[in-house]
Amino acid sequence: MRRRVVRFILNGEEVEVYVPPAFTLLEVLRDVLHLTGTKDGCSDGDCGACTVLLDGKAVHSCLTIMAQVEGREVTTVEGLAGDGEPDVVQKAYVETGAIQCGYCIPGFIMATKALLTANPSPSEDDILEALRGNLCRCTGYVKIVEAVKKAVEEAGR
Amino acid sequence: MNRLHDIEVYSPKTLEEALEILRREGDRVKVIAGGTDLIIQMKDGIMPRKNLLNIYSIDELRYIRMGNDSIRIGALTSFTDIASSALIRNYARILADAANTIGSIQIMNKASIGGNLVNASPAADSIPPLYVLDAVLVLRSVEGVREVPIQSFYRGYKKLDIRSDELLTEVRVRRMAEDEDGIFLKHGLRLGDAISVVNAALLVKWDGDDRFKDVKIALGAVAPTVVRARSCEEALTGKELNDSTIWDAASKVVNDISPIDDVRGTAEYRREMSVNLLYIGLWEIINKRNQAGW
Amino acid sequence: MQQFRWVGRPIPRLDALDKAVGRTKYPSDYYMDNMLWGKVLRSKYPHAKILSIDVSKALKHPGVVAVFTHKDIPNNRFGLFHKDRPVLCDDKVRYIGDPVALVAAETPEAAEDAANLIDVRYEPLPVVDDVFKAVEGDGAKVHERGNVARQTRITFGDVEEAFDNAEVIVENTYRTGAQIHAYLETEAGLSYIDEKGRITIVSCGQSPYRDKKEICETLALPEEKVRVIIPPVGGAFGGKDDISVQIFLALITLKTGRPAKMFLSREESTISSTKRHMAYITMKTAADKNGKLLANQTEIILDTGAYEGLGPAVLDVAIENCNGPYKIPNIDIKAKLVYTNNYFASAFRGFGAPQVMFAIESQVDAIAEKLGLDPIEIRLRNVVRRGDYGVFRNKIEGSVGIADALEKARMHELWLRRDDIRKTRHRPWIRQGVGVAAAVKGYTIGALPDKGVVGIELTTDGRFIIKLSSTEIGQGVVAAIAQIAADMLSCHLKNIEIKAADTSQTPDTSVTSASRQLYLAGNALRKASEEMIKKLITAFSIATGEPAYNASVSDGYVVSTSTGRRLSYSEAARILEEKGIGREAFGEYEVPRTTPIPGTLEIPHLFYMYAAAIAHVEVNILTGVVKVKKLVLLPDAGRVINPQTFTGQVEGAAAQGIGYAVLEDAKIEQGILRTINLSTYLIPSIKDAPAMEVIPIETTEDTGPLGAKGVGEIGIIPVAPAVANAIKHATGVRVLEVPITPERLYRRLKEAGQNTPR
Ligand SMILES: Cc1cc2nc3c(=O)[nH]c(=O)nc-3n(C[C@H](O)[C@H](O)[C@H](O)COP(=O)(O)OP(=O)(O)OC[C@H]3O[C@@H](n4cnc5c(N)ncnc54)[C@H](O)[C@@H]3O)c2cc1C
């Protein structure tokens, strides 16, 4: 292994990891930091389960290497809630019944969060486009769309 | 799917440093921009494992600017930025439309136009629009700058006119004029994130007579590189446009393409889709003009 | 219908918040200090003799701790119906997912590199990739016993005579594809030795006791040495019914004494995991001039691939449901389950029902068309109703809501606008249409024995812990059980805690399969609750001296109906403890069943679920792309325990139905799967899923817990035929093969001359 120190901001806190610089962010979050809220569904960018925010934008942590993360800000699903209240997006997913097995859900929540940050009042089409890269095998997406709409409403209050 | 545990990564902060590393390391390193193609290919062993030159943080390569008669796009510019750029939407709309179809939002946020061009997949969605917009690619090395027209950049399947000490730094595209219209078409096997089975870009210049003064058509995923559909272009230029003439012209595309069978579709299907997609594109362009009351 | 405090309410699932904040630990989320990584070397060929396996280079690779082969497996054949599956292949490999060796190493990369250093010498054998050739039997054999794993013939009445008297006869051959489960979490788990010295496997799965049994049998371990825990799983749909990583994990920990982790890559999962059986179905169906179905002659061949898995049961489901929810007096079914080298097929939501429903529901539509009858009308003229005798001459005693569902479908605005929709074209190449289909499936394990136990513990602070081995695979069974328990035990929902699926702590509640987990566990829970309430009342009598018949439970208290005196559950707990009566109660329930008819394993069932579906499609005749714009689903699944979970189950199943119908094309060429990731095997995205409307047809199943029946599978079953019938309505072309991919449909449209924009 060729390791080196990589520094970045993870969920608001500065962290330093000693890892191979070409390890993916997903590998480091899960296998090194054991921060398992971020899910590994395919490691190919096809499913969106590993979505995190990199400097506020939704990206695949499976297609981001540590060298690209250096000095940047990463937010994972654990960071949305922090120690306190769950985020409005998280609550909306819970309340609309959009969560079944839930393995895809952290990715959906992060993609939704990025959408609402960039566009607080998305149209139905905007929602579908923003989530088109997140696969869910349980829900048929109906309640996921409802959840996003609910989050929009709640956030607007 | 092995983790990249044994790879060194150079992360220069400036273009100059990057070029210096390229001069020094040449073939021993591989450039990583967004990484959306490279990481998978390297982990899967499709691409040889090499040390990486990470240009992701060279922000001076992220820009969209109006040039004299062209729009200049930094190689690292993401498809999200391209799709939402007012400049591109106003003057090179087909490129913005193509950018919007690239993978998912997560992919668009990270994937760069330079990576799309150098990865050189025959199905890459930004390339057909760039063909019809007469794109010029700017390649830099410590030795100097080369400007290469897009068509001569591609010499065969993943064979490119780029040296191991060169970095693609900019893409220049022509501005679309008032009397021009165009469309980008993508046929994938799913309505969500999907790789093109066939894609196409059409760019037409109207004359005063409801005919095309000029037509440019490029298609992807139907040959080792993106190709221009010269036979169709010829059959359309200056001709009367009606349902049967556009069918006939679209049908000629089979002379310009050489598709193969793969997991997403047979060569036969790709041939038919090329014709049909062009028909749909032409119909839409003409319909729009008719609707506009010309 | 009786109203309840908790049951029937759309309460957000108890497990949802933890999942939303990333706190829930799935099988892939477990790590331990000093843990090894397991990696399987799989076959290079779909069919080959293994000449030798040399692991010496792999063993020398840095970081490698052990390499295992078949020599390390004491009993190297297992399987639920037939023990035909090796843990690690010995004589032969039978599909490309077959495991040949197992490496345990300090890092995943060491494990993977070492797996590639194992030198396996093969002698490739002819690939059995065609079921028809496989059946003929003069070519290669997948197993010594021959390529036909099971065959049977069931006849009632006289189809030939009926054909002679029929007004119309429709005969077609249908093909259905190999669907891949594509759960978002691939197979994963962790093993270790627990504080009591047991080899503990925390992994994906659907049935902890059955997995444990298979681990113990193959590795020759005593029952008490093994513990299986199944945490919430990232999707299963039947695909985690069979063993995947469990035995490997147990083996590594057994031999090295160290914890071990496995987590299959998407590619490895896609290649090795079980699939839905490909089916070849020929059907000849006859009706009289009024559309009364007279006869149905069916030949079903299911490709089970390398191993049987749950194939025999899948075949039974196909046989049982191939006549749809109809009364057909004359039937003749020939059915075969055939081995090939194509893959390994086993359980998938709906078992064999989606395959045969595609056939029969296309047939019925074709008959309606020939007779000029409305497609819903013809179905209504033939559907079974409660108390009727079914095709197997079995009296249908359970609740039957299919006629109701079809009546409601007939009045749905989408159906009423059908002809207008068809005429609307917003582009010359777009065609629209609306189609309908009905569906049926038994929701217990049928004539096979099926019993389970649920335990309830009253805690000293007056709450209840429900203990059961049902697994939470996403379907919400745990939350539904909590809701039922709160009503049965008359307490607040927050005072119910569920402990699920740990063989050292929870009783055996049978398998999570066949949509009947809620039915079974719910009924066992009812018995346990009755026991618990008796104990609570005993405590009350002890405390107050009042007779038991005076007392009942109400919202956390035992209350006297005559004096109004009450005793809280926590006080009751204290008394039960003091008097040594115990704070635990158990309930056992055995699902009632029938005697199987000759030639079947588990036909008929006593209970069936039903559904109707309407699909609205838009077809691009120039590309063959089908967009399903809307799906209306009318499931009869008994009493709805939680409307949110209920509609969620139906919508999710229906989306898998859309995938099955138009997208999910597992391409297998000469035994090699070509679509090995989620960019080539396309499951529906949010843009592919249609708008959906779920209209529950609430019948009450008297034998179900509070009137509930099963809902897990029914949503997928009517979708493919409803979509195919809608495509027919839109384009005039009937497609006999699913998935109806763009290329396949385009070719059919072209053959029929229906690909010209107008
Ligand atoms: C899930 C998924 C979906 C996708 N969908 C689409 C799609 O719909 N349409 C489509 O066209 N593509 C798609 N792609 C492919 C990919 O995202 C694009 O090709 C992307 O533009 C690549 O850019 P990148 O910055 O990520 O390149 P990288 O992966 O970083 O690099 C790609 C190649 O280009 C080279 N390179 C990159 N930048 C330079 C430079 N400036 N100079 C010299 N060489 C350079 C690299 O060395 C490498 O060989 C998809 C990929 C994934 C994973």
Side-chain angles (χ1 to χ4, degrees):
Chain A
M1 278 211 216
R2 281 186 192 215
R3 287 194 274 194
R4 74 159 201 244
V5 173
V6 179
R7 292 188 186 84
F8 63 108
I9 296 172
L10 177 58
N11 296 329
E13 279 178 38
E14 271 184 52
V15 294
E16 211 180 86
V17 288
Y18 184 59
V19 294
F23 261 22
T24 65
L25 175 58
L26 179 64
E27 287 155 357
V28 170
L29 287 173
R30 292 180 58 86
D31 295 346
V32 179
L33 300 172
H34 297 173
L35 211 56
T36 53
T38 304
K39 301 303 179 194
D40 181 358
C42 70
S43 282
D44 273 336
D46 292 322
C47 78
C50 71
T51 303
V52 299
L53 304 185
L54 183 64
D55 287 346
K57 284 195 173 162
V59 301
H60 293 115
S61 58
C62 73
L63 296 182
T64 300
I65 59 168
M66 291 313 290
Q68 295 177 316
V69 171
E70 177 111 53
R72 293 178 197 268
E73 217 173 297
V74 174
T75 311
T76 69
V77 73
E78 291 95 341
L80 270 196
D83 299 331
E85 275 278 283
D87 188 84
V88 278
V89 174
Q90 291 169 316
K91 280 197 218 159
Y93 273 78
V94 170
E95 283 159 16
T96 49
I99 303 176
Q100 289 189 27
C101 92
Y103 200 79
C104 67
I105 291 297
F108 269 97
I109 285 175
M110 299 317 283
T112 305
K113 187 70 192 169
L115 167 70
L116 299 196
T117 309
N119 176 4
S121 48
S123 65
E124 172 124 2
D125 265 359
D126 294 336
I127 296 172
L128 301 189
E129 291 302 339
L131 300 180
R132 70 176 196 248
N134 289 78
L135 297 176
C136 170
R137 193 58 157 163
C138 294
T139 65
Y141 304 101
V142 178
K143 292 181 169 47
I144 287 177
V145 176
E146 277 171 32
V148 180
K149 289 181 180 166
K150 190 176 169 101
V152 169
E153 244 171 64
E154 300 286 329
R157 290 227 170 121
Chain B
M1 259 310 186
N2 219 330
R3 303 196 299 197
L4 301 175
H5 57 97
D6 48 2
I7 284 181
E8 194 56 75
V9 186
Y10 306 100
S11 296
K13 291 279 172 302
T14 64
L15 175 59
E16 210 186 320
E17 284 174 60
L19 295 181
E20 187 49 40
I21 296 170
L22 269 184
R23 185 193 60 79
R24 191 183 74 216
E25 300 287 330
D27 253 350
R28 288 194 300 267
V29 293
K30 190 82 194 152
V31 172
I32 176 168
T36 59
D37 279 317
L38 180 136
I39 294 170
I40 299 172
Q41 291 172 14
M42 206 169 263
K43 282 176 95 174
D44 276 352
I46 298 167
M47 180 190 273
R49 284 188 178 222
K50 282 184 186 176
N51 290 341
L52 295 173
L53 173 61
N54 166 30
I55 62 169
Y56 192 63
S57 296
I58 305 183
D59 287 339
E60 62 189 290
L61 292 177
R62 287 177 212 274
Y63 56 84
I64 299 168
R65 288 183 202 130
M66 188 69 100
N68 292 337
D69 45 20
S70 63
I71 303 170
R72 298 165 48 203
I73 307 169
L76 210 52
T77 310
S78 73
F79 285 113
T80 297
D81 289 346
I82 290 171
S84 59
S85 149
L87 260 187
I88 307 254
R89 290 223 303 254
N90 288 334
Y91 298 107
R93 206 195 59 249
I94 47 176
L95 180 59
D97 290 346
N100 255 324
T101 72
I102 293 190
S104 54
I105 300 301
Q106 291 90 327
I107 292 289
M108 285 173 60
N109 279 340
K110 205 127 180 293
S112 65
I113 188 167
N116 203 236
L117 285 164
V118 179
N119 181 61
S121 158
D125 289 311
S126 77
I127 303 181
L130 292 174
Y131 262 61
V132 300
L133 289 167
D134 302 320
V136 171
L137 311 188
V138 180
L139 305 168
R140 267 177 210 277
S141 66
V142 277
E143 312 275 302
V145 185
R146 288 199 299 141
E147 294 184 7
V148 180
I150 189 160
Q151 255 171 271
S152 45
F153 186 66
Y154 295 103
R155 295 170 163 175
Y157 178 70
K158 298 216 171 195
K159 282 213 187 80
L160 312 179
D161 179 9
I162 185 169
R163 298 193 314 256
S164 65
D165 65 337
E166 281 179 326
L167 199 65
L168 171 64
T169 55
E170 185 176 285
V171 184
R172 290 187 195 147
V173 297
R174 194 166 62 73
R175 270 190 278 166
M176 278 168 71
E178 282 282 302
D179 57 354
E180 286 181 321
D181 197 4
I183 191 168
F184 173 75
L185 301 144
K186 171 167 177 169
H187 176 44
L189 298 179
R190 166 169 70 181
L191 301 167
D193 174 6
I195 300 296
S196 294
V197 172
V198 179
N199 59 15
L202 282 72
L203 187 71
V204 304
K205 195 176 191 65
W206 289 104
D207 67 10
D209 248 356
D210 284 353
R211 294 187 184 205
F212 297 148
K213 205 185 321 180
D214 192 20
V215 187
K216 286 193 178 119
I217 299 173
L219 293 102
V222 288
T225 66
V226 167
V227 288
R228 281 280 291 274
R230 305 271 181 195
S231 322
C232 310
E233 294 174 358
E234 210 167 288
L236 288 162
T237 312
K239 303 286 159 54
E240 192 192 323
L241 300 172
N242 59 43
D243 209 57
S244 93
T245 58
I246 64 173
W247 254 126
D248 289 347
S251 306
K252 296 207 157 65
V253 71
V254 295
N255 302 319
D256 304 313
I257 60 179
S258 48
I260 53 164
D261 291 349
D262 74 8
V263 67
R264 295 193 171 87
T266 61
E268 183 52 34
Y269 183 61
R270 285 198 158 92
R271 256 190 292 277
E272 302 243 358
M273 289 308 102
S274 300
V275 175
N276 294 358
L277 231 50
L278 293 191
Y279 170 80
I280 290 173
L282 290 164
W283 190 97
E284 293 287 0
I285 288 173
I286 294 163
N287 186 53
K288 187 164 139 203
R289 185 163 169 103
N290 293 341
Q291 299 276 307
W294 287 69
Chain C
M1 216 182 259
Q2 197 192 336
Q3 291 304 309
F4 297 99
R5 181 169 170 203
W6 303 106
V7 164
R9 279 177 50 191
I11 301 164
R13 284 168 52 165
L14 299 173
D15 56 345
L17 184 63
D18 277 350
K19 288 177 174 178
V21 300
R23 216 181 290 143
T24 302
K25 287 232 176 297
Y26 295 83
S28 59
D29 293 337
Y30 287 83
Y31 295 85
M32 261 186 158
D33 291 341
N34 196 32
M35 165 188 97
L36 295 169
W37 292 77
K39 169 78 195 171
V40 176
L41 174 71
R42 297 190 188 268
S43 172
K44 226 187 193 150
Y45 299 96
H47 197 196
K49 212 190 243 170
I50 297 176
L51 301 176
S52 63
I53 306 173
D54 180 357
V55 303
S56 53
K57 273 198 219 113
L59 270 172
K60 282 185 212 128
H61 191 71
V64 171
V65 171
V67 182
F68 303 106
T69 65
H70 61 90
K71 292 189 185 121
D72 300 290
I73 315 295
N75 298 308
N76 198 24
R77 287 291 182 280
F78 70 108
L80 296 166
F81 282 90
H82 186 77
K83 294 193 190 320
D84 59 2
R85 191 181 163 197
V87 177
L88 289 167
C89 293
D90 37 49
D91 57 338
K92 291 215 295 190
V93 287
R94 294 177 180 82
Y95 82 113
I96 50 162
D98 247 346
V100 177
L102 171 69
V103 180
E106 303 288 348
T107 65
E109 35 283 345
E112 181 159 337
D113 290 343
N116 293 328
L117 292 174
I118 297 170
D119 186 10
V120 185
R121 287 184 43 237
Y122 294 101
E123 178 189 318
L125 296 168
V127 177
V128 182
D129 63 346
D130 177 310
V131 282
F132 298 101
K133 283 191 203 137
V135 168
E136 280 163 21
D138 38 5
K141 279 190 199 160
V142 180
H143 290 273
E144 273 315 302
R145 65 196 278 231
N147 292 332
V148 178
R150 187 187 159 209
Q151 63 180 323
T152 187
R153 180 170 188 176
I154 315 289
T155 58
F156 283 93
D158 185 342
V159 288
E160 292 305 336
E161 194 187 307
F163 289 142
D164 288 343
N165 300 324
E167 173 78 14
V168 287
I169 294 176
V170 170
E171 183 170 1
N172 282 309
T173 297
Y174 299 87
R175 289 188 54 168
T176 64
Q179 193 174 20
I180 302 176
H181 303 83
Y183 19 72
L184 265 290
E185 184 188 35
T186 59
E187 297 75 0
L190 177 84
S191 55
Y192 58 91
I193 295 177
D194 77 358
E195 69 288 349
K196 292 202 173 139
R198 288 175 294 212
I199 294 174
T200 303
I201 295 98
V202 184
S203 79
C204 64
Q206 295 184 211
S207 306
Y209 279 89
R210 202 177 58 197
D211 293 350
K212 175 175 159 174
K213 185 163 167 273
E214 299 208 285
I215 293 166
C216 290
E217 283 178 8
T218 50
L219 299 183
L221 289 169
E223 292 267 319
E224 63 279 5
K225 286 297 282 181
V226 176
R227 171 182 178 194
V228 173
I229 301 172
I230 303 184
V233 168
F237 320 115
K240 292 171 181 168
D241 224 345
D242 294 81
I243 288 285
S244 55
V245 295
Q246 297 89 331
I247 301 175
F248 298 139
L249 288 168
L251 179 65
I252 297 175
T253 296
L254 171 70
K255 298 280 177 151
T256 65
R258 289 175 62 178
K261 180 181 174 79
M262 286 180 77
F263 185 13
L264 302 195
S265 72
R266 175 58 59 185
E267 287 73 12
E268 185 177 2
S269 168
T270 307
I271 289 168
S272 66
S273 66
T274 63
K275 319 264 180 305
R276 184 187 297 290
H277 288 75
M278 291 191 267
Y280 304 79
I281 303 162
T282 300
M283 232 178 228
K284 186 173 175 186
T285 315
D288 71 10
K289 62 179 188 305
N290 298 319
K292 265 266 173 259
L293 297 173
L294 301 175
N296 194 30
Q297 185 178 50
T298 307
E299 197 170 335
I300 303 166
I301 299 182
L302 294 186
D303 181 348
T304 199
Y307 305 106
E308 267 196 1
L310 287 154
V314 174
L315 188 71
D316 246 38
V317 172
I319 293 167
E320 182 169 19
N321 299 293
C322 72
N323 298 296
Y326 305 115
K327 289 174 292 186
I328 307 179
N330 304 289
I331 60 159
D332 180 4
I333 306 163
K334 285 186 209 156
K336 286 192 181 82
L337 184 72
V338 178
Y339 284 127
T340 66
N341 300 118
N342 283 327
Y343 55 5
F344 169 23
S346 191
F348 195 142
R349 195 179 218 162
F351 274 54
Q355 291 93 321
V356 293
M357 217 57 63
F358 173 61
I360 182 69
E361 285 300 281
S362 298
Q363 291 286 95
V364 171
D365 243 46
I367 290 173
E369 195 188 344
K370 281 201 169 181
L371 290 170
L373 277 174
D374 175 86
I376 294 188
E377 178 57 31
I378 191 172
R379 287 178 168 86
L380 277 167
R381 287 183 190 176
N382 290 286
V383 289
V384 287
R385 291 160 204 265
R386 193 170 200 159
D388 279 350
Y389 285 85
V391 285
F392 305 107
R393 308 298 187 255
N394 52 322
K395 190 161 187 210
I396 311 292
E397 315 245 27
S399 76
V400 180
I402 186 61
D404 221 18
L406 287 165
E407 291 287 3
K408 286 219 172 68
R410 177 147 70 172
M411 298 313 291
H412 195 277
E413 62 88 29
L414 193 56
W415 189 254
L416 297 174
R417 286 196 298 119
R418 184 168 192 255
D419 288 326
D420 291 339
I421 288 172
R422 184 165 185 274
K423 285 181 207 127
T424 316
R425 287 183 188 171
H426 45 87
R427 284 290 182 273
W429 51 85
I430 297 295
R431 302 286 180 272
Q432 298 192 66
V434 177
V436 72
V440 57
K441 185 185 178 287
Y443 67 90
T444 52
I445 307 190
L448 294 176
D450 184 21
K451 75 176 172 197
V453 178
V454 168
I456 303 174
E457 180 188 335
L458 173 65
T459 63
T460 48
D461 56 350
R463 293 174 305 110
F464 296 104
I465 301 174
I466 313 295
K467 300 175 181 179
L468 73 179
S469 65
S470 310
T471 45
E472 183 47 63
I473 51 179
Q475 84 284 44
V477 69
V478 164
I481 285 290
Q483 249 171 299
I484 295 175
D487 272 323
M488 286 180 172
L489 295 163
S490 193
C491 68
H492 196 283
L493 185 61
K494 67 177 198 296
N495 291 333
I496 300 285
E497 182 188 325
I498 305 277
K499 190 162 266 166
D502 176 345
T503 58
S504 77
Q505 295 189 25
T506 61
D508 187 353
T509 322
S510 191
V511 297
T512 298
S513 179
S515 301
R516 92 255 170 274
Q517 187 51 234
L518 182 64
Y519 179 88
L520 171 74
N523 271 318
L525 174 67
R526 186 182 58 206
K527 293 198 165 180
S529 298
E530 285 162 8
E531 266 308 300
M532 178 53 73
I533 289 168
K534 266 193 213 145
K535 289 196 168 181
L536 290 167
I537 289 176
T538 306
F540 177 79
S541 294
I542 293 169
T544 63
E546 289 196 42
Y549 58 79
N550 261 356
S552 65
V553 292
S554 168
D555 197 14
Y557 291 90
V558 190
V559 185
S560 159
T561 40
S562 54
T563 65
R565 282 178 67 179
R566 41 182 226 166
L567 181 79
S568 73
Y569 286 177
S570 54
E571 289 167 84
R574 190 178 45 76
I575 293 165
L576 292 174
E577 182 76 30
E578 275 175 20
K579 301 286 170 194
I581 300 169
R583 290 179 284 106
E584 275 200 309
F586 291 90
E588 182 181 270
Y589 182 74
E590 176 154 12
V591 180
R593 57 199 156 102
T594 54
T595 319
I597 57 170
T600 75
L601 307 171
E602 48 165 349
I603 297 175
H605 286 65
L606 276 178
F607 310 107
Y608 295 88
M609 50 195 170
Y610 300 88
I614 315 172
H616 173 192
V617 303
E618 195 178 275
V619 180
N620 182 333
I621 58 164
L622 287 180
T623 60
V625 169
V626 176
K627 178 172 171 59
V628 183
K629 294 187 65 125
K630 177 153 189 184
L631 259 187
V632 180
L633 295 139
L634 305 107
D636 156 28
R639 171 132 200 158
V640 175
I641 300 291
N642 181 334
Q644 221 180 49
T645 310
F646 180 91
T647 49
Q649 276 289 296
V650 176
E651 290 158 359
Q656 289 178 354
I658 296 294
Y660 191 51
V662 298
L663 275 176
E664 297 181 30
D665 195 14
K667 289 202 171 125
I668 303 166
E669 291 163 8
Q670 294 186 310
I672 309 276
L673 180 68
R674 298 286 173 201
T675 47
I676 59 169
N677 52 39
L678 295 173
S679 104
T680 48
Y681 185 76
L682 300 176
I683 65 171
S685 77
I686 200 163
K687 288 176 73 180
D688 300 273
M692 291 193 226
E693 185 181 341
V694 179
I695 304 172
I697 306 299
E698 277 204 71
T699 57
T700 298
E701 179 52 63
D702 317 319
T703 65
L706 308 184
K709 41 203 246 190
V711 66
E713 295 169 288
I714 193 68
I716 195 174
I717 303 172
V719 175
V723 168
N725 290 339
I727 292 171
K728 172 72 169 68
H729 185 234
T731 65
V733 170
R734 178 165 294 289
V735 189
L736 304 177
E737 182 171 359
V738 288
I740 306 170
T741 56
E743 181 160 359
R744 196 165 278 149
L745 178 57
Y746 181 74
R747 202 173 282 153
R748 287 284 296 116
L749 288 164
K750 198 176 170 197
E751 282 162 13
Q754 293 293 341
N755 65 331
T756 322
R758 256 180 288 115

